Amino acid sequence: MNIKHDLALKMGKLTLATLKLFNRTGTALPGKVALTIDKSFLEVINQKCDKIILVTGTNGKTTTNNLINHVLSDYNLLSNLRGANMRQGVASTYIRNTQESYDYGLFEVDEGSLDFVSSYLKADYIILTNFFRDQLDRYGEIESIINEVMEDIKLLPDSKLIINCDDPYVNQFKYKLDNEVIRFGLDIISDYSERNLILKKCPLCGCKLEYSKFNYGHLGNYNCPKCEFNNNTKEYCVNSIIQNDSSQTITINHSDKDYTIEYPYVGLYNAYNLCGVFALANELKLDINKTIEQMENFTFSLGRMEEFNYKNKTIKVILTKNPVGLSQVTRIISHDDRTKSIVHILNDNPADGRDISWIWDANTSCTNDNTVTNYYCSGIRAEDMALKKKYDDVNTDKIHINDNMYNTINTAIEDDVEIVYVLPTYTAIFETRDYISKIVKR
């Protein structure tokens, strides 16, 4: 019997019960209390799980984690589904769902928390999604966090890595670590013209990378002419994407065989998420037909491409938290020719990052501006977003500023349009979706 652990668990559960009295979810505080009492509190999770899967990277962690959870729904899982991905969030997950054993421990882990979490959870598999600039005031420059993640994984030589090799920052792990590595990526015809490149040099030798294709940001097909660093080989490769209004038909090739999936979410970043999860499922030797079936009926309710129906229109909530993510959402909106209004909710709370200069690195100019009725700018930094829209050469008559997000949402959803896009940053995402949920249920 571990007295310290038992006390930590009891106090964590007491904290959770108290929070529930005030209608709070308790995704972090119970774990924080437990870890204060017992720093090694997470060790028990490692002991109780047959397999441990960690998901880390800048974008796509929560969607990937939830999709894996759906694919593994026949198993007994312990997982942090609501995106609480720091050490206290992982601990709170166990406090909320304490059992004697689990088939899988599945956790998305913030890049900055991987060192602590991985020191107790010895992962069998680690999925690396991508690395982009994100919250510079918290993480610092991107190279710093990548080096930290690499050092963390060096201490887990038995972990199998499933990596997005279209990102050179991620692909270097194949060359610099001794872990077994499975690579996934895209090989499709791309119409992407904007090159928001933060990575121009080979991460191995420093020579300028040569790209034959960009998918988005610095993701694409590339090679180094000096040291032959490249992503030509992908064990799992998306070779076809057919975009529909609210879904996409994705074909993944593995071992010279194609698998077609009707995936209910659009966007290239969702194709990457899907391919990574498909790779994991196959490496776990799951029934591939059941995996595809689960992928095709996947639904997600945490503000990542989440749709609501209201008065003959669609309300779509999409988290936007860094330049590449916002640029990709703008790209999706630009391919949607329905009449629309767009709501930007920009906060600068600590969890968002105090420095909101990142919006100026994002492409927020809709190429189909003629289909946009109004742009609403809300949140703590509403004026900053309005200024960004002005520099996008948007007609100022279309730009509306109100720092109260509830009033803004109330106004926007009454517009005579077919779809309203609501784009909150991280600290607004849960309040936004919960508020819209209440409205549509009235």
Side-chain angles (χ1 to χ4, degrees):
M1 178 182 292
N2 187 324
I3 297 175
K4 185 182 288 189
H5 172 80
D6 291 346
L7 177 61
L9 181 60
K10 288 178 180 178
M11 293 306 297
K13 286 186 175 294
L14 178 60
T15 303
L16 178 61
T18 303
L19 290 170
K20 285 183 176 180
L21 293 176
F22 296 94
N23 294 318
R24 302 286 296 276
T25 56
T27 56
L29 185 58
K32 184 175 182 180
V33 170
L35 287 166
T36 301
I37 297 169
D38 181 9
K39 185 179 179 180
S40 62
F41 184 75
L42 298 183
E43 199 169 72
V44 70
I45 297 176
N46 195 70
Q47 297 167 357
K48 290 188 173 186
C49 296
D50 289 344
K51 280 185 170 48
I52 298 283
I53 302 166
L54 303 182
V55 181
T56 195
T58 305
N59 293 334
K61 295 187 295 292
T62 302
T63 302
T64 297
N65 188 40
N66 276 261
L67 180 55
I68 297 170
N69 195 285
H70 189 63
V71 168
L72 294 175
S73 59
D74 288 341
Y75 296 86
N76 184 20
L77 298 178
L78 179 66
S79 185
N80 54 341
L81 294 180
R82 286 185 62 85
N85 57 25
M86 297 184 187
R87 63 181 74 178
Q88 59 266 31
V90 175
S92 294
T93 299
Y94 174 67
I95 292 168
R96 179 185 296 275
N97 180 23
T98 309
Q99 298 181 29
E100 286 301 313
S101 64
Y102 309 87
D103 296 321
Y104 291 96
L106 167 62
F107 306 101
E108 70 160 285
V109 183
D110 176 85
E111 308 94 289
S113 295
L114 186 63
D115 58 344
F116 183 90
V117 173
S118 63
S119 66
Y120 294 103
L121 303 186
K122 305 306 179 185
D124 296 278
Y125 297 89
I126 301 175
I127 295 183
L128 291 170
T129 59
N130 48 62
F131 291 112
F132 293 107
R133 281 181 175 164
D134 188 28
Q135 299 186 37
L136 293 180
D137 53 342
R138 177 177 157 220
Y139 289 127
E141 283 297 335
I142 186 171
E143 288 80 7
S144 299
I145 195 66
I146 292 169
N147 289 335
E148 288 181 20
V149 171
M150 191 171 297
E151 290 301 313
D152 299 335
I153 295 179
K154 278 183 181 178
L155 301 177
L156 301 170
D158 295 328
S159 299
K160 180 181 286 190
L161 308 185
I162 298 176
I163 68 170
N164 177 2
C165 68
D166 287 358
D167 183 342
Y169 279 130
V170 175
N171 197 27
Q172 66 178 309
F173 284 58
K174 165 72 175 177
Y175 293 79
K176 294 182 177 180
L177 296 176
D178 294 329
N179 301 66
E180 181 180 354
V181 174
I182 303 296
R183 291 162 293 184
F184 69 91
L186 274 54
D187 188 10
I188 58 171
I189 297 173
S190 176
D191 62 352
Y192 187 65
S193 58
E194 181 182 352
R195 296 169 189 183
N196 183 13
L197 274 178
I198 57 173
L199 189 158
K200 298 181 180 179
K201 295 182 179 180
C202 172
L204 300 188
C205 72
C207 184
K208 184 178 179 180
L209 284 177
E210 295 181 350
Y211 277 82
S212 61
K213 181 192 305 178
F214 289 95
N215 292 327
Y216 66 86
H218 55 267
L219 274 60
N221 290 359
Y222 55 84
N223 70 84
C224 174
K226 182 178 180 181
C227 72
E228 299 184 354
F229 172 72
N230 64 72
N231 65 332
N232 296 335
T233 302
K234 304 167 187 176
E235 284 76 27
Y236 296 85
C237 182
V238 173
N239 58 24
S240 173
I241 298 177
I242 300 173
Q243 296 281 0
N244 308 307
D245 285 341
S246 296
S247 65
Q248 50 189 337
T249 305
I250 299 172
T251 302
I252 299 174
N253 182 273
H254 172 62
S255 297
D256 295 324
K257 184 174 181 180
D258 285 344
Y259 301 87
T260 299
I261 303 165
E262 301 293 336
Y263 192 55
Y265 296 94
V266 298
L268 287 186
Y269 56 87
N270 275 313
Y272 275 113
N273 295 338
L274 183 79
C275 192
V277 175
F278 185 91
L280 172 68
N282 202 55
E283 295 302 315
L284 290 174
K285 303 189 185 311
L286 302 181
D287 180 270
I288 205 67
N289 293 321
K290 178 65 181 296
T291 294
I292 292 172
E293 179 185 341
Q294 289 293 88
M295 289 176 162
E296 292 184 336
N297 64 36
F298 174 59
T299 57
F300 195 22
S301 59
L302 285 177
R304 275 75 168 179
M305 304 293 280
E306 185 174 5
E307 292 190 354
F308 302 86
N309 294 317
Y310 176 75
K311 292 186 177 179
N312 297 318
K313 65 169 66 75
T314 298
I315 304 172
K316 180 171 283 192
V317 181
I318 312 176
L319 173 68
T320 53
K321 65 188 183 79
N322 54 42
V324 168
L326 180 53
S327 296
Q328 282 304 292
V329 171
T330 301
R331 186 180 182 185
I332 289 171
I333 294 173
S334 293
H335 282 87
D336 184 348
D337 287 330
R338 289 175 288 183
T339 57
K340 63 184 69 66
S341 285
I342 301 171
V343 180
H344 291 276
I345 304 175
L346 178 63
N347 284 345
D348 65 352
N349 293 309
D352 301 295
R354 294 293 193 187
D355 181 359
I356 55 89
S357 63
W358 62 267
I359 65 173
W360 296 95
D361 294 326
N363 174 18
T364 56
S365 181
C366 294
T367 58
N368 57 355
D369 176 72
N370 62 305
T371 68
V372 182
T373 299
N374 290 302
Y375 295 91
Y376 295 94
C377 301
S378 189
I380 299 171
R381 302 298 290 269
E383 291 82 2
D384 295 83
M385 182 54 73
L387 182 62
K388 179 68 165 67
K389 296 309 300 178
K390 184 176 185 297
Y391 275 89
D392 286 340
D393 290 328
V394 169
N395 185 328
T396 53
D397 290 340
K398 289 185 176 185
I399 303 173
H400 309 277
I401 304 172
N402 186 333
D403 60 8
N404 186 305
M405 69 179 223
Y406 303 111
N407 292 339
T408 301
I409 291 170
N410 288 339
T411 302
I413 63 176
E414 299 302 333
D415 282 356
D416 184 18
V417 295
E418 295 170 89
I419 183 167
V420 177
Y421 283 94
V422 184
L423 314 178
T425 51
Y426 184 75
T427 60
I429 186 67
F430 294 113
E431 289 182 67
T432 297
R433 68 163 305 277
D434 290 346
Y435 184 67
I436 293 173
S437 293
K438 291 178 182 177
I439 291 175
V440 300
K441 290 177 181 177
R442 287 175 185 169

